[in-house]
Amino acid sequence: MTFAGKTVLVTGGARGIGRAVVEDFRQAGATVYFTYRKSQELAERLAAESGAVALPCSQSAPEQIEAAVSTIMAQTGRIDVLVNNAGVRSDQFIVLSAYEQWRHVLDVNLDGAWRWAKAVSIPMMSASSGAIINIASVGGLVGIAGQTAYSSSKGAILAFTRSLAAELGTRGIRVNCVVPGFIETDMTATLSPALKRENTRRILLKRMGQPREVSGVVLFLASDAASYIIGQHIVVDGGLTATVSF
Ligand code: NAI
């Protein structure tokens, strides 16, 4: 797969899945921009090592998002791929959670993805081409106690993917979604060993996934090899949701 001559934008790219996506696109020859919020040191190191460009940007700040897209357009004249990866998990049982917690998760995961998709839609429509890949979660497919906010945001990302595909597909823009299961990143590092063991027991492949096993699917969906795939999602969960255990 080559992305030489293409410009790629990855949100939340300093670590975890986003970092693997940044590195893989750089390896495939793309000009890559990635956003980060708090991880300045990690972001600067990744930029120096990979040649990608780091942009400080919050999912919750529309003016920063618009400025980031303007910067990229001014510097490269194009945005071929948007990977809506930035996300936050904030688990709590509903009776113990506050409205602000619910709103924060929805704002970062769903509103943020909407803001980025809106911002890149005009340059992509002008070019009559582009690919948007949203990152959802198995929490958007099945119920997980304590994750009403997170799973609602991710279920909405799946619906958002389909409707955005319906809007932009006629303009040559493919919108698709990747649905990871349990992947070893900072997001899952805080889970208790007991929960990790229980989750792993349910996974057909009997192990957590690695960021690179997700990024490969992102690159596939962005590539010409997926030129006839639109409005779909691909589950990357080692078989976690493929069966029920008795
Ligand atoms: P991570 O916690 O390592 O990375 C999340 C990224 O999002 C970070 O770069 C962070 O800076 C960025 N981010 C968070 N809040 C932000 C905000 N308000 N503004 C800007 N950026 C913000 O987590 P991971 O695992 O790499 O997650 C990447 C994506 O994959 C997320 O959307 C997550 O929901 C999704 N995912 C992860 C799974 C896992 O098991 N690790 C499973 C399913 C989905």
Side-chain angles (χ1 to χ4, degrees):
M1 260 184 279
T2 175
F3 287 88
K6 306 278 189 195
T7 300
V8 174
L9 167 58
V10 183
T11 67
R15 59 176 208 245
I17 294 169
R19 181 188 176 102
V21 173
V22 168
E23 290 173 340
D24 282 1
F25 271 118
R26 279 296 298 143
Q27 201 123 48
T31 299
V32 181
Y33 291 77
F34 68 94
T35 68
Y36 67 94
R37 191 178 49 122
K38 289 182 182 161
S39 324
Q40 186 178 352
E41 209 183 309
L42 281 179
E44 284 171 0
R45 203 177 324 142
L46 175 61
E49 284 169 8
S50 69
V53 181
L55 300 169
C57 191
S58 165
Q59 290 287 97
S60 306
E63 67 291 348
Q64 288 178 15
I65 290 172
E66 280 153 28
V69 168
S70 298
T71 300
I72 298 167
M73 287 305 292
Q75 291 179 359
T76 73
R78 58 195 299 153
I79 298 178
D80 299 282
V81 179
L82 165 68
V83 183
N84 255 328
N85 166 77
V88 69
R89 209 193 88 227
S90 180
D91 296 351
Q92 186 54 278
F93 295 119
I94 194 165
V95 290
L96 299 175
S97 66
Y99 178 69
E100 289 67 30
Q101 193 175 6
W102 160 267
R103 271 303 333 148
H104 175 64
V105 173
L106 269 287
D107 187 66
V108 173
N109 295 359
L110 180 60
D111 297 19
W114 181 89
R115 291 180 185 114
W116 282 108
K118 182 175 165 68
V120 303
S121 285
I122 291 180
M124 284 186 178
M125 283 164 77
S126 303
S128 297
S129 76
I132 297 176
I133 292 106
N134 298 319
I135 308 295
S137 163
V138 291
L141 297 173
V142 300
I144 301 175
Q147 289 202 346
T148 50
Y150 184 75
S151 60
S152 296
S153 73
K154 295 302 190 177
I157 285 290
L158 286 159
F160 175 62
T161 297
R162 290 186 289 267
S163 289
L164 191 63
E167 273 185 39
L168 300 182
T170 54
R171 312 298 291 262
I173 302 161
R174 294 184 302 104
V175 186
N176 288 293
C177 186
V178 175
V179 183
F182 284 97
I183 311 298
E184 265 187 295
T185 67
D186 287 359
M187 188 173 276
T188 47
T190 51
L191 296 175
S192 72
L195 189 57
K196 276 190 188 167
R197 264 196 310 277
E198 177 57 17
N199 287 339
T200 306
R201 192 186 62 77
R202 291 165 194 254
I203 296 170
L204 293 183
L205 295 179
K206 300 298 171 204
R207 62 173 177 85
M208 293 178 76
Q210 295 302 313
R212 198 127 273 127
E213 295 178 292
V214 180
S215 58
V217 181
V218 172
L219 264 74
F220 163 68
L221 285 173
S223 76
D224 289 344
S227 56
Y228 205 52
I229 300 178
I230 176 166
Q232 302 301 315
H233 65 267
I234 298 180
V235 180
V236 185
D237 70 352
L240 175 66
T241 56
T243 63
V244 286
S245 44
F246 295 100

